[in-house]
Amino acid sequence: MQSNTVLNQATSPASSTRTTELPFTLQDLKAAIPAHCFEPSVWKSLSYLFLDMGIIAGLYAIAYSLDSWLFYPIFWFMQGTMFWALFVVGHDCGHGSFSKSKWLNSFIGHLCHIPILVPYHGWRISHRTHHANTGNLDTDESWYPVSQTKYEQMPWYEKLIRFYLPLLGYPIYLFRRSPNREGSHFLPSSPLFRPSEKWDVLTSTALCVLMVGFLGGLTYQFGWLFLFKYYFVPYLIFVMWLALVTFLHHTEPDIPWYRGDDWYFLKGALSTIDRDYGFINPIHHDIGTHVAHHIFLNMPHYHLKTATEAIKPLLGDLYRKSDEPVWKSFVRSYWACHFVSDHGSKVYYQSPTNRPPF
């Protein structure tokens, strides 16, 4: 596993054009990648959408026709995984890498995210914040560490969700964000959003409300067991996939986090790691190929593997990749990664002396 490299401290304020201690620039990396990797194909992007939707429809048809409790556990895992795959297609829309058309990205993004109760624009904007601030302790949005002081002050229920039930926390994050952050993905008044984004946020929120109403109608018509079998459990599996993958992208004991002037975009973008999900890789559209995605966020997912191979010689030991089973990586980070030091411009995760500390 190539994940032991430590970046040197920066000596000047962060900016997108500054000279850094890295042996390459963003322009160097871009020049190494074939130009076609930056060009989305609408038809290729749509083919992934249609494939995912077709599999989802087929799984529903099979589960409904069999109506067997022997098959439901298989159906739940498969359908929850496909919900996650559908989210990844919407993820491309949010980055503008599904197509060059803003309205098409918005339309497909809502088509992918609203059925799984993700407010597309609210999520898109917060995810933009994450990518613009990856590895920055003060401004990152996704799976950033808390300081030791903050950790010690957290109430037991907050520690329980964040550190001991982390795979179930995503719906709470949508409503309340994470520690030290205020706001909701559903409200335009949230600090996440600019005033000009008000109607985008309200549109996605209104569509989520309509989806909840639709699910309520199904429950009224067919009962709670129907909702449980055909929606709730697959949705729960999707939530766990989303949390697991995003957690593993950014949580590793030897991945550094930065404060203040020691952070800048390219160095922060390298504070992530590629993961191997085995046979799941093509199903969830190679989302584990994550380093190149953080450097060039508007690159379609189907070009990331080519781009990764092109930049690996330049990145050298600064490229992080883990080939160990993801469950093993998760268990290690689950126990070892709780907080970072209150001080220092470059810090690493630490774990509490006694577990569980709540």
Side-chain angles (χ1 to χ4, degrees), residues 68-318:
S68 167
W69 287 101
L70 293 177
F71 179 70
Y72 280 128
I74 300 171
F75 163 73
W76 292 334
F77 176 79
M78 295 176 68
Q79 195 69 299
T81 303
M82 291 312 303
F83 281 6
W84 165 233
L86 192 65
F87 175 90
V88 175
V89 174
H91 168 268
D92 265 21
C93 295
H95 282 297
S97 57
F98 186 91
S99 77
K100 293 183 177 180
S101 170
K102 185 176 179 179
W103 76 263
L104 182 61
N105 290 334
S106 181
F107 175 75
I108 299 299
H110 280 98
L111 190 64
C112 293
H113 281 187
I114 297 303
I116 49 178
L117 298 178
V118 175
Y120 171 72
H121 281 307
W123 166 85
R124 173 184 63 81
I125 295 166
S126 77
H127 195 63
R128 175 190 67 194
T129 302
H130 162 57
H131 271 269
N133 299 276
T134 304
N136 189 319
L137 278 173
D138 302 313
T139 56
D140 200 347
E141 177 66 23
S142 176
W143 285 111
Y144 54 86
V146 297
S147 68
Q148 183 172 358
T149 296
K150 171 63 178 176
Y151 176 83
E152 292 170 351
Q153 294 173 347
M154 291 172 72
W156 69 268
Y157 56 84
E158 196 170 347
K159 285 184 180 179
L160 178 66
I161 295 296
R162 175 67 186 263
F163 301 107
Y164 295 97
L165 297 174
L167 301 188
L168 301 177
Y170 185 71
I172 298 174
Y173 164 72
L174 289 178
F175 281 97
R176 299 190 56 182
R177 296 178 73 192
S178 298
N180 296 331
R181 306 286 192 269
E182 296 180 353
S184 167
H185 288 74
F186 297 95
L187 300 176
S189 59
S190 170
L192 278 167
F193 310 125
R194 303 164 184 162
S196 60
E197 294 165 335
K198 172 182 177 180
W199 292 109
D200 281 347
V201 175
L202 287 176
T203 296
S204 295
T205 298
L207 289 172
C208 278
V209 171
L210 288 175
M211 182 64 195
V212 171
F214 172 72
L215 293 173
L218 289 178
T219 304
Y220 178 79
Q221 182 71 27
F222 299 105
W224 287 102
L225 185 59
F226 181 92
L227 182 73
F228 177 84
K229 291 189 299 186
Y230 294 110
Y231 187 83
F232 178 76
V233 180
Y235 171 78
L236 194 63
I237 298 297
F238 151 68
V239 165
M240 295 175 70
W241 265 119
L242 191 157
L244 174 69
V245 173
T246 53
F247 176 88
L248 289 176
H249 282 164
H250 303 286
T251 311
E252 185 79 8
D254 60 357
I255 287 182
W257 289 80
Y258 304 98
R259 288 189 176 101
D261 290 347
D262 201 21
W263 178 91
Y264 54 90
F265 172 79
L266 184 54
K267 187 160 69 169
L270 293 173
S271 283
T272 185
I273 185 170
D274 283 2
R275 302 282 189 186
D276 184 1
Y277 293 87
F279 74 94
I280 300 292
N281 285 333
I283 295 174
H284 68 186
H285 310 308
D286 293 306
I287 194 64
T289 310
H290 208 64
V291 175
H293 170 62
H294 263 274
I295 300 173
F296 300 106
L297 57 93
N298 60 345
M299 184 180 293
H301 74 266
Y302 40 82
H303 292 318
L304 287 174
K305 293 175 72 174
T306 299
T308 297
E309 293 304 313
I311 63 176
K312 278 168 64 174
L314 282 175
L315 295 180
D317 289 338
L318 298 178

